[in-house]
Amino acid sequence: MQANSSTRLTTGGTPLRIAMQKSGRLSEGSIALLREMGLEFETYKDRLFVSARNMGVDILFLRDDDIPEYVQDGVAHLGIVGSNILEERRPAVDRLLNLDFGYCTLKIAVPEESEINRLDDLTGKRIATSYPEALRRFLAEKKIEATPVLLRGSVEVTPALGVADAICDLVSTGSTLRTHGLRAIQTVFESQAVLICQPNMKPEKSVFVQKLLMRAKGVQDGRRCKYIMFNAPRSALELIKQRIPACRSPTIMDLADQKFVAVHTVITPEDAFWEVVESIRDCGGSDILVAPIEKFIR
Ligand code: ATP
Ligand code: ZN
């Protein structure tokens, strides 16, 4: 379908460039987000960039490590990157939005049989890591004198090789640690994918970025929230509004049976979903329908 020209986003000049990981753990989530934001584009294995068909946007496919510099230097206006890389490099970019995917944690781990159990036990020890700056800052903050050993990969095998006493590495499920006979003793930071932008952008690009940011938030709020509809006795309505914060200001509709009403509202992530459902039932609500929200623009 042809995009309606009145809704087409343009900068009136050169395309806006968005950098994302070419191939890796953040690629699928980044592509899904950009498509849900309305960008129409193809992906090709060997292409380093593509232009969106329906708006003035080029997408650059890069190694994740290069994205912060590209955005900082203004080669790309926006980027999607793990906050772990920002923590390590501290590039001069603005963080616009946490994106709710690419979750992982930088953890310090030791061999199962190690005598190291607490942070203090790391004093005088060697810790292998690809995140030496983040680790150094963390150790300084905790006043622990240990030595980071920089490695680019395969950090988890270093204790077995006698190269280090502990490791500091990204963990998501923890299965890699278990496979290598390691146990975590400390979290350094939590990470997820974030949308970053070049600071001090030209005004026409900045307006475009704000529009894209609104779309990204709309996609995200849509994913996080649920539309809920249920029937309730009219007499229970006040109790429902009082007891259930998610139902404080609902849409109420009359039903054929005057004793009942239909209640429509949105449940946000702050409202614990199943607890809301249980409270609705406790208050006499029934026929509870839950629907996904495609986009939610606040
Ligand atoms: P590239 O070729 O782009 O340099 P890479 O091998 O460095 O790829 P990936 O392993 O794909 O990168 O990880 C990309 C990002 O995914 C990480 O920077 C981090 O933000 C996130 N991530 C999520 N879970 C994990 C995990 N278990 N281990 C490492 N990174 C993870
Ligand atoms: Zn990388």
Side-chain angles (χ1 to χ4, degrees):
M1 198 173 70
Q2 195 69 45
N4 177 342
S5 61
S6 65
T7 61
R8 192 174 282 208
L9 284 179
T10 58
T11 51
T14 53
L16 188 101
R17 287 184 295 268
I18 306 179
M20 56 158 279
Q21 190 185 21
K22 180 168 172 52
S23 155
R25 290 180 157 103
L26 301 182
S27 307
E28 198 184 313
S30 304
I31 288 174
L33 173 69
L34 295 177
R35 292 216 165 113
E36 284 183 61
M37 284 162 62
L39 277 82
E40 293 173 13
F41 60 96
E42 307 310 318
T43 55
Y44 304 96
K45 239 191 182 153
D46 47 355
R47 287 270 286 273
L48 292 181
F49 88 89
V50 295
S51 300
R53 282 194 297 279
N54 59 336
M55 55 181 102
V57 171
D58 285 347
I59 300 156
L60 313 186
F61 301 106
L62 304 171
R63 285 200 58 193
D64 65 343
D65 316 72
D66 295 334
I67 293 172
E69 276 74 22
Y70 270 69
V71 174
Q72 175 178 292
D73 299 345
V75 180
H77 304 93
L78 283 173
I80 299 174
V81 70
S83 59
N84 50 304
I85 294 184
L86 306 180
E87 294 284 347
E88 178 63 17
R89 307 266 193 83
R90 302 268 167 118
V93 298
D94 293 341
R95 284 188 190 208
L96 293 181
L97 189 65
N98 288 340
L99 295 176
D100 255 356
F101 65 90
Y103 281 104
C104 54
T105 314
L106 189 72
K107 286 194 173 173
I108 298 176
V110 297
E112 282 294 353
E113 67 287 355
S114 169
E115 285 166 3
I116 302 170
N117 291 310
R118 299 177 311 124
L119 262 188
D120 286 347
D121 301 338
L122 287 168
T123 303
K125 305 290 187 197
R126 291 158 306 157
I127 310 174
T129 187
S130 307
Y131 292 84
E133 290 310 318
L135 176 60
R136 222 168 255 135
R137 271 199 306 273
F138 176 79
L139 294 172
E141 200 179 287
K142 301 287 178 192
K143 301 193 168 49
I144 306 288
E145 297 213 5
T147 312
V149 178
L150 172 63
L151 284 175
R152 292 276 166 232
S154 305
V155 164
E156 61 281 357
V157 299
T158 54
L161 297 176
V163 176
D165 307 291
I167 68 161
C168 174
D169 203 8
L170 288 178
V171 177
S172 40
T173 59
S175 64
T176 308
L177 289 187
R178 278 193 297 279
T179 307
H180 290 89
L182 299 166
R183 68 184 151 86
I185 59 161
Q186 178 71 41
T187 292
V188 178
F189 59 68
E190 312 270 352
S191 174
Q192 62 176 291
V194 289
L195 185 67
I196 55 172
C197 87
Q198 175 202 329
N200 310 318
M201 222 178 296
K202 287 194 183 136
E204 72 272 16
K205 289 285 190 283
S206 177
V207 168
F208 196 173
V209 164
Q210 289 309 315
K211 287 185 178 169
L212 289 176
L213 179 60
M214 185 204 68
R215 292 183 179 205
K217 285 183 179 158
V219 170
Q220 207 173 38
D221 282 339
R223 285 181 188 163
R224 288 171 171 175
C225 301
K226 299 265 177 268
Y227 194 84
I228 186 163
M229 298 159 265
F230 58 94
N231 294 340
R234 196 180 288 278
S235 57
L237 207 50
E238 278 315 306
L239 181 67
I240 288 172
K241 286 192 203 168
Q242 268 171 28
R243 273 193 40 188
I244 312 171
C247 299
R248 212 159 266 158
S249 185
T251 304
I252 309 289
M253 275 174 271
D254 288 335
L255 294 178
D257 181 343
Q258 287 293 302
K259 288 201 211 69
F260 286 85
V261 287
V263 182
H264 289 211
T265 193
V266 170
I267 301 195
T268 63
E270 296 84 60
D271 311 310
F273 175 77
W274 286 109
E275 283 164 27
V276 171
V277 169
E278 281 157 20
S279 303
I280 290 170
R281 284 172 61 87
D282 290 348
C283 291
S286 62
D287 305 314
I288 303 169
L289 279 179
V290 181
I293 295 173
E294 194 184 300
K295 309 272 190 303
F296 184 16
I297 320 297
R298 302 206 204 206

